[in-house]
Amino acid sequence: MKVLNYGSLNIDNVYSVDHFVRGGETLSSSKMETFSGGKGLNQSIALAKSGAEVWHAGAVGENDGEFLLEMMKDAGVNVSLVSHVEGKTGHAIIQRDGDGQNCILLYGGANQKITREQVDQAMEHFQAGDFLILQNEINEIAYIMEKAHEKGMKIVLNPSPMDEKIGGYPLEYVDYFLLNEIEAGDICREQGEGEELLRKLSAMFPKAKIVLTLGGDGSMYKDGDLVLKQPIYRVPVVDTTAAGDTFTGFFIGGLMQGEDPKTALDHAAKAAAIAVSRPGAAPSIPDRSELEKEL
């Protein structure tokens, strides 16, 4: 069993600031750093570091994205399905304040230039029972889901960043939703909290397993009548950028390696806690061996 992560590849430009810039304001930053990033890249590295066999498909620019591929290869990700396309690699401008919180401005770049021919070629390497992980930072997601469903792959959707395109995807094909309360409310078209949202999503998608992240209150999991609650591990926060992606990678990676959902949730929460205690996105993601040692 292996996993295909069809996802974004970004160059993250991170600016350390006292507060997030406001309309009409010019703000000086105390530091500027460049990291590899993108929800797709982060989740692939988290999957690989959790111990899963992961292939990444996506696109980078013709001249500026090679270091992203090298970082993934160093983590154990197969990048042979990543295309080089004309133009720039996707990038993000990230403001990070003194509490480790962030706000992000994205430019899609190569992430929005994926073709159906590339999708068809990538899918030739996978079969029924393999996992497909998707976020919402690339184009052709609906087509990718259709092809994966035809093959009998298990589809995992992290609908972030949330936008109007989500409603046009064949969400009935999704086997696992991993999302926060805002994203869940948008899909349900009615905001709410915790168990209420979990029930509504489960009613809409009764065949899907749902992981709902609750920020400082941890996460919840629902599969039919089974409901699990997972608290967070509290640590000093340095940078929250990769917290959700680390959680996703270790949760799905754990399931692929035979963990039950309760154990996979606990390991995912530990990995996310370690990630937020370090700067950067992908560089903050721990190896599985660190989970017990660091906490």
Side-chain angles (χ1 to χ4, degrees):
M1 181 189 300
K2 54 185 181 286
V3 55
L4 168 63
N5 184 5
Y6 221 126
S8 57
L9 297 156
N10 282 343
I11 299 170
D12 285 352
N13 298 308
V14 182
Y15 297 83
S16 297
V17 295
D18 291 331
H19 61 269
F20 299 150
V21 68
R22 297 164 294 195
E25 180 183 21
T26 298
L27 181 66
S28 294
S29 62
S30 60
K31 184 167 57 174
M32 184 271 185
E33 300 166 281
T34 299
F35 297 104
S36 57
K39 295 189 70 65
L41 179 144
N42 295 338
Q43 290 181 17
S44 280
I45 289 179
L47 283 158
K49 289 190 171 184
S50 79
E53 180 185 352
V54 54
W55 298 48
H56 190 101
V60 294
E62 54 195 338
N63 296 315
D64 61 350
E66 199 61 36
F67 81 99
L68 304 178
L69 306 188
E70 291 301 321
M71 173 166 275
M72 286 198 293
K73 286 192 286 187
D74 288 345
V77 179
N78 186 317
V79 299
S80 61
L81 301 180
V82 177
S83 303
H84 290 78
V85 300
E86 184 178 353
K88 296 284 189 180
T89 296
H91 69 255
I93 296 173
I94 301 173
Q95 297 177 60
R96 184 174 64 210
D97 69 13
D99 295 323
Q101 300 302 309
N102 62 76
C103 64
I104 303 172
L105 176 65
L106 284 174
Y107 169 67
N111 295 316
Q112 299 299 318
K113 295 183 178 181
I114 292 165
T115 67
R116 294 190 174 190
E117 290 76 16
Q118 291 167 348
V119 174
D120 293 341
Q121 292 169 8
M123 287 294 175
E124 293 176 0
H125 299 272
F126 301 90
Q127 59 188 8
D130 288 337
F131 278 75
L132 168 71
I133 294 187
L134 294 166
Q135 311 83 35
N136 196 33
E137 292 182 340
I138 63 172
N139 64 317
E140 293 293 0
I141 289 178
Y143 184 76
I144 296 168
M145 292 175 70
E146 292 282 359
K147 290 299 178 181
H149 180 71
E150 289 174 8
K151 279 184 167 286
M153 297 176 72
K154 298 177 182 178
I155 299 174
V156 180
L157 179 64
N158 172 210
S160 178
M162 190 73 192
D163 61 25
E164 70 282 352
K165 292 185 294 185
I166 295 289
Y169 300 158
L171 299 181
E172 66 275 13
Y173 296 162
V174 175
D175 296 284
Y176 291 87
F177 286 96
L178 286 97
L179 69 180
N180 63 29
E181 290 174 293
I182 299 298
E183 293 156 354
D186 286 347
I187 290 176
C188 293
R189 298 184 180 179
E190 184 178 355
Q191 292 300 321
E193 296 180 353
E195 293 186 28
E196 176 190 6
L197 286 171
L198 213 53
R199 287 194 300 270
K200 289 178 180 178
L201 269 179
S202 185
M204 291 177 68
F205 306 103
K207 297 180 180 179
K209 302 168 182 63
I210 301 165
V211 178
L212 183 65
T213 58
L214 308 170
D217 293 326
S219 60
M220 300 180 69
Y221 171 88
K222 183 171 174 58
D223 177 11
D225 293 331
L226 174 65
V227 177
L228 302 172
K229 296 182 179 180
Q230 174 64 47
I232 67 168
Y233 287 86
R234 298 194 180 277
V235 297
V237 175
V238 174
D239 187 346
T240 61
T241 306
D245 297 331
T246 301
F247 185 96
T248 296
F250 272 78
F251 177 72
I252 297 299
L255 294 180
M256 290 179 64
Q257 295 169 81
E259 292 179 355
D260 60 80
K262 182 176 178 60
T263 302
L265 282 173
D266 183 64
H267 287 166
K270 287 180 178 178
I274 295 171
V276 302
S277 71
R278 302 170 174 173
S284 73
I285 299 171
D287 291 310
R288 179 172 288 276
S289 62
E290 296 181 70
L291 297 191
E292 295 300 332
K293 181 175 67 175
E294 294 292 334
L295 291 169

